Amino acid sequence: MPLHIAFDNSYAALPERFYARQPATPVATPALIAFNHALAGDLGIDSSDLSEAEAAVLFSGNVTPDGADPLAQAYAGHQFGGWSPQLGDGRALLLGEVIAPDGSRHDIQLKGSGRTPFSRSGDGRAWLGPVLREYLMSEAMHALGVPTTRALAAVRTGQKVQRETALPGAVLTRTAASHIRVGTFQFFAARGDQDGLQTLTDYTIARHYPRASGPADLLEQVMQRQVDLVAKWMGLGFIHGVMNTDNVAIAGETIDYGPCAMMDSYHPDTVFSAIDQQGRYAYANQPRLAHWNIAQFATSLVPLMPDQSAAIDQFTAIINRFPDLYAAAYQATFSAKLGLSDSDPDLIEDLLALMARDGADFTNTFAALPHANARDQFIDRAAFDAWKTRWQSHNPDHGQMARTNPQIVPRLHRIEAAIQAAITDDDAPFHAMLAAVTQPFTANATYARPPDADEKVTRTFCGT
Ligand code: AMP
Ligand code: MG
């Protein structure tokens, strides 16, 4: 194998109850869909001699690369508010970790690689749709400047997976700062596994928050990263869709591109996920749910503290700061979108209210604001013109706006079209879309166009 990955596996050195060692289950006829050479380069992996056939066998799990130590990680979590004591990687395997030339450590994980001890009734597989969706979304988010897991490779398995119908199977290779989640802490806390919780905390601090002096400090720093992350999502009209505690990465990256979507027409109540009947994870609820998730993280850290009732008071005081921290991050995000040096909450809220009332396209409205055609987004153009006059009196910085407001985002109807084509073995729309959405600040009329009525996709499904 010409591909050499210098694995340096620290999670595999943690106690056995943190995971289940498990090889990938081979697939019938692996065929490469995409390999991210730029990401490989950033990770210090020289992929220049990697053939498509070799990439396919490695990143389907058919050949375990030298130095990998595949394992399924244990975790728990609150899903839609309900407690699940045992989740874990049911269709994913951590191959191992690499240390990039810049010194940063990254997980390399296969997703869709077969059953594990955590699979329960699941088949451990993924179909092509969620694999391509995650590839497009995560690479677009990275290009948009949002902390996120990345996509290193996508491979067809040559096997069908049975969902509502039989669909082509695929494996995604994703990289992450780590896959430690709020749910990983909850796993040990809920079992009363004090030693495991302490080991996980020490490991997490060393790996991600080396300046944190202990659990309270860790809580504050994790909270700040969630605040910053969710403010970025809001500024892009991104709806995660499944903000369960097992999908909250402690390192502060966006993880789990299941039923997520970018909003086309702006409305704060927008929700796509078919299973989110109550709109728990609707666009405007995301900050509140991030706060709730951080409260669960705080709860899981309490057993580490010698005086638990004092710890509860201390942690409560910390998490009560979430709304103010979030408000500051939100104002900074939307002030930048409007090119304002000083935040003006009324100006932001008044624009969003007009956008919601008229169903203005979220991305295109902000991209067009400096231009005359912005008013085309509105039905009540007089109201918009009045708002724009107010806004212009602030002398907005158009250069800052151009760096902040993308021209294009990975729109849901385009992702669905790319997936439908790929089902018929036409990967051209996927590759064209990937090239476009990884250059999000470049004007691109094709990908800027919102869906027509007959193209609109209103429902998304969890990525299984
Ligand atoms: P998610 O909704 O992606 O956050 O996954 C929730 C839990 O379900 C995790 O423990 C997954 O590993 C597990 N899971 C999801 N899909 C499958 C599948 N096809 N086979 C086995 N486990 C799965
Ligand atoms: Mg998940």
Side-chain angles (χ1 to χ4, degrees), residues 225-408:
R225 285 202 204 171
Q226 280 302 306
V227 161
D228 293 341
L229 181 67
V230 175
K232 283 198 157 80
W233 292 355
M234 300 301 278
L236 293 166
F238 174 76
I239 301 168
H240 183 282
V242 61
M243 291 173 64
N244 297 331
T245 58
D246 56 303
N247 294 332
V248 179
I250 292 293
E253 291 181 334
T254 310
I255 189 170
D256 199 322
Y257 292 90
C260 64
M262 293 287 187
M263 193 160 41
D264 296 304
S265 289
Y266 173 71
H267 197 286
D269 299 338
T270 304
V271 48
F272 287 92
S273 173
I275 58 166
D276 191 0
Q277 307 269 334
Q278 314 294 320
R280 178 180 171 92
Y281 299 134
Y283 172 78
N285 281 349
Q286 296 185 118
R288 203 167 56 73
L289 270 298
H291 185 190
W292 191 88
N293 288 337
I294 289 297
Q296 307 317 308
F297 181 49
T299 302
S300 74
L301 295 174
V302 168
L304 294 170
M305 306 296 278
D307 179 342
Q308 304 214 347
S309 84
I312 289 169
D313 291 345
Q314 184 189 12
F315 291 179
T316 302
I318 291 171
I319 61 181
N320 283 347
R321 289 173 43 227
F322 189 106
D324 285 345
L325 293 172
Y326 175 73
Y330 176 86
Q331 289 301 320
T333 298
F334 278 80
S335 296
K337 289 180 75 64
L338 293 182
L340 307 177
S341 47
D342 296 314
S343 117
D344 183 336
D346 289 344
L347 197 63
I348 295 167
E349 291 318 308
D350 291 351
L351 174 63
L352 290 171
L354 292 177
M355 288 169 63
R357 198 177 66 187
D358 291 356
D361 186 84
F362 187 85
T363 305
N364 291 356
T365 300
F366 284 100
L369 276 183
H371 312 292
N373 64 347
R375 66 198 304 271
D376 299 350
Q377 292 290 336
F378 295 87
I379 299 166
D380 185 350
R381 294 184 179 177
F384 174 73
D385 290 343
W387 179 88
K388 192 164 181 178
T389 303
R390 265 169 73 203
W391 172 62
Q392 278 168 328
S393 73
H394 292 260
N395 292 318
D397 178 345
H398 291 182
Q400 180 189 36
M401 292 177 72
R403 290 188 299 276
T404 308
N405 295 311
Q407 297 289 321
I408 57 164

Side-chain angles (χ1 to χ4, degrees), residues 134-153:
E134 177 157 346
Y135 204 119
L136 290 165
M137 287 299 302
S138 63
E139 288 305 300
M141 290 286 267
H142 174 72
L144 289 161
V146 183
T148 178
T149 63
R150 303 282 308 272
L152 183 65

